[in-house]
Amino acid sequence: MTIRTQTLATTAADGTVLLSHVALPDGSTPVAGILVAPEWWGVVEHPKSVAERLAQAGFAAAVMDVYGDGKFTTDAATANAWMTDALSNPMALMDRCARILADFAALPEVDSARIGVAGFCFGGKLGLDMARLAQPIKAVATFHGNPAPIKPAEKDVFTASVLVAHGAADSMVSMQAIDGLKDELAAADVRFEIDVYDNAKHGFSNPAADARAAENGVDLGYNEAAAVASWDKMVAFMRKELA
């Protein structure tokens, strides 16, 4: 399938311009949309590749630029500083997500009633928190995501369905944290599924994870088997939930 890419500019409340990378399938009929919430690195090649693969699969997709100005890094200390700063004002961060969502939903190629979020690491938290705050999304898929809640899910507020892909060898997000998410979602009557992939470390879906680990001395690792299986599961999940 032929796809096209463009930049979506959103203005945050403080005037920062958020430059999200958009990938669209050819065609004139509006299609289901997926926001890609990236890892703490920002809008690097991996989330752009995710958006383009989603467009190849028939979805409209956009990589959310929550840091602003399209900035990105491969330095873990810088990424951690940016993420920590963003999380220090969670409601402003959620407002940025809401504004990107609204601008993405307004694109003529996007069916605004059928939007999901695919979140990676830090982005997994963003997707879950958007649903926790009743932003208009129908599905959230997380890959090695941070499940810490901005506030616990509430019944009839958190209405999105959830798919979680977690690595059994993840030293950054514990199984205890995933069990806590399971309890949180169950208590709110959220429809969810949690898949745990053997021998998969944090960042298992990102082909650049081994390089980032070596450069930064952090415990990341790409796992091709887990990456392929979780991707296929996510695409099937989004096709079902955004039908």
Side-chain angles (χ1 to χ4, degrees):
M1 177 186 292
T2 303
I3 67 168
R4 61 191 190 279
T5 61
Q6 63 192 58
T7 300
L8 176 67
T10 296
T11 303
D14 64 0
T16 301
V17 179
L18 314 175
L19 300 173
S20 300
H21 177 77
V22 175
L24 302 167
D26 267 350
S28 57
T29 303
V31 296
I34 299 176
L35 289 170
V36 178
E39 298 168 285
W40 65 354
W41 312 112
V43 187
V44 291
E45 286 307 310
H46 175 246
K48 288 183 178 180
S49 171
V50 167
E52 289 159 17
R53 290 173 69 192
L54 287 169
Q56 291 281 0
F59 299 98
V63 184
M64 295 199 296
D65 172 29
V66 296
Y67 293 148
D69 302 318
K71 69 183 183 182
F72 62 88
T73 185
T74 58
D75 177 70
T78 301
N80 185 59
W82 289 351
M83 181 184 73
T84 301
D85 182 62
L87 291 173
S88 70
N89 193 337
M91 295 314 294
L93 177 59
M94 284 291 99
D95 182 67
R96 288 187 174 197
C97 292
R99 288 168 183 251
I100 295 169
L101 169 58
D103 285 350
F104 178 60
L107 293 175
E109 297 88 353
V110 178
D111 182 343
S112 62
R114 296 189 292 144
I115 295 179
V117 179
F120 298 78
C121 306
F122 170 44
K125 173 176 170 56
L126 296 184
L128 290 168
D129 281 345
M130 289 170 74
R132 290 173 175 124
L133 296 181
Q135 293 194 23
I137 54 177
K138 295 187 70 176
V140 178
T142 78
F143 297 80
H144 36 90
N146 173 2
I150 190 170
K151 68 170 192 173
E154 298 175 38
K155 185 178 179 181
D156 300 326
V157 174
F158 193 127
T159 58
S161 300
V162 174
L163 176 66
V164 174
H166 180 69
D170 192 326
S171 64
M172 297 185 184
V173 178
S174 68
M175 275 306 307
Q176 183 178 7
I178 297 300
D179 288 341
L181 175 65
K182 184 186 301 184
D183 293 342
E184 175 197 353
L185 297 179
D189 286 345
V190 174
R191 289 191 298 120
F192 69 93
E193 181 175 350
I194 296 175
D195 296 322
V196 179
Y197 293 89
D198 291 341
N199 304 311
K201 290 186 174 186
H202 197 73
F204 67 78
S205 70
N206 187 342
D210 293 335
R212 297 293 88 82
E215 293 164 3
N216 292 282
V218 288
D219 192 23
L220 307 174
Y222 177 61
N223 183 304
E224 183 179 11
V228 170
S230 59
W231 174 269
D232 290 346
K233 188 79 175 278
M234 182 270 289
V235 170
F237 167 76
M238 288 296 183
R239 284 183 172 146
K240 176 175 180 284
E241 297 300 328
L242 304 180

